[in-house]
Amino acid sequence: MSRTHRSGTGPTSSSYGIPQQRVTGATADTAPDMTAGATAGAGTGADATAGAGAKSASASSGARPAAAARGRDRYLDLLRSIALVRVIAYHLFGWAWLTVLFPSMGVMFALAGSLMARSLKRPAPGVVRDRLRRLLPPMWAFGAVALGMLFAAGWRPDSVLGLIHYVVPIGAPPFPWTIGSESGLLDKTWAVQAVGPLWYLRAYLWFVVASPLLLWAFRRAPWPTLLAPLGLTAVVGTGLVTIPGETGNAVTDFAVYGGCWVLGFAHHEGLLRRIPRYVAVSCAAFLMAFGLWWASGHLGPDGWDLNDIPLAQATWSFGFVVILLQYSPSWPELPRRLAKWDRLVTLSNNRAVTIYLWHNLLIMATVPLLDPLYSLPFLQSDGAVSFLDSTYMFWMFCLVWPLLALTILATGWIEDFAARRRPRLWPDGGGKGRGRRGGKRGARRGR
């Protein structure tokens, strides 16, 4: 007994739970968790592959603290790895509660902001250029495959100029909402699912470009700079002021996650360490409670999915990140009870851009690999079919990881090329050691 194509059978209205890219009149998108952002993010994400932001030493008012640690902060690396796993799980299963359990995009943007503040000890133009150089080549590889698939399926853009966003993601790249047929190998919405998470890279690019000015403002007026994105979200993320089209989407994304990005500055500059922990945690808890209260009165089509509720996403993510960074232990290596995950954490950080870019397309690629199971002679009984139906998403989740591993082997080295490092097939920290780096200056720069 043959089975028809099963794409799009996920638990939400959009296939596998991936948030749709926002367009005028369409369902609002949210991160890959990118947003996808991430991612995204994700991411993010895009900031994941180099040395984590070191915790800053306490300093007197007006003084800039020096970084206390010289190597990678494995606590931050672990957070980034958890964020990536959560992004993939959310995009596959579409469980709204995951956005509350661990707001991956806010965490990834905060970690990226910390790394950016660390890098801006060097001249800003060079830092921005280096960040873009690290981001764009992996995106070009993904964009070449995605556009090749779209063109092969018969799609043509309304304007060739729109394709520039596949080269430099200053805006939303064009793609069709549906393409192909119900009987095709991939779901008709595969383009939305594959390309939609590129919003995370757009947001990341704008944060990188704005960071020199944001850090300058933060060092002169830390609290207004830190809280301004929340205020902006209250204006543009609640319908009080509506900015149409992709401009509105970009401004909303910038506002929602801007607070987390600047929290990364606060972490690096030592501001969070100068606040008594009970004060920081109490204020964060109050802000998170407000976010949940706001969400309860503004539930979207997927219920408690905070990706559909900008102000709730901004406040919950902000408070969550404050607590994570307030308790940041700054590990030079993972604790013994987590040591067995060390290589996977290292690999996911060194290949975060690759994982974020490709994971959603690979989730969809599991469908044509699993569907032939319904044609096997020993799986024709009603009980066997029912078992496959009830466990289909689980098998997709299991299969996406080896597909990601193959993609890392095939394309992950582009991240090393972009960072001017010696290309590595499987950079999990084994062999010659985790800390060696290439590059002209031998400096560890955050991605």
Side-chain angles (χ1 to χ4, degrees), residues 297-327:
H298 300 81
L299 298 180
D302 296 317
W304 283 87
D305 192 329
L306 299 187
N307 290 318
D308 297 329
I309 315 168
L311 185 58
Q313 176 75 285
T315 51
W316 179 263
S317 298
F318 189 98
F320 197 95
V321 168
V322 166
I323 294 174
L324 287 180
L325 296 182
Q326 184 65 231
Y327 283 91

Side-chain angles (χ1 to χ4, degrees), residues 378-409:
F378 56 87
L379 292 177
Q380 298 303 301
S381 67
D382 290 342
V385 171
S386 177
F387 173 77
L388 286 177
D389 285 345
S390 62
T391 60
Y392 198 91
M393 304 292 282
F394 168 77
W395 298 118
M396 291 175 67
F397 185 75
C398 292
L399 187 55
V400 73
W401 301 107
L403 293 181
L404 272 171
L406 292 174
T407 304
I408 288 172
L409 289 171

Side-chain angles (χ1 to χ4, degrees), residues 103 230-231 233-234 255-256 260 263 283-295 306 309-322:
L230 294 179
T233 304
V256 168
C260 292
L263 272 176
C283 293
F286 175 80
L287 196 61
M288 295 168 72
F290 170 81
L292 293 182
W293 171 80
W294 181 266
L306 299 187
I309 315 168
L311 185 58
Q313 176 75 285
T315 51
W316 179 263
S317 298
F318 189 98
F320 197 95
V321 168
V322 166

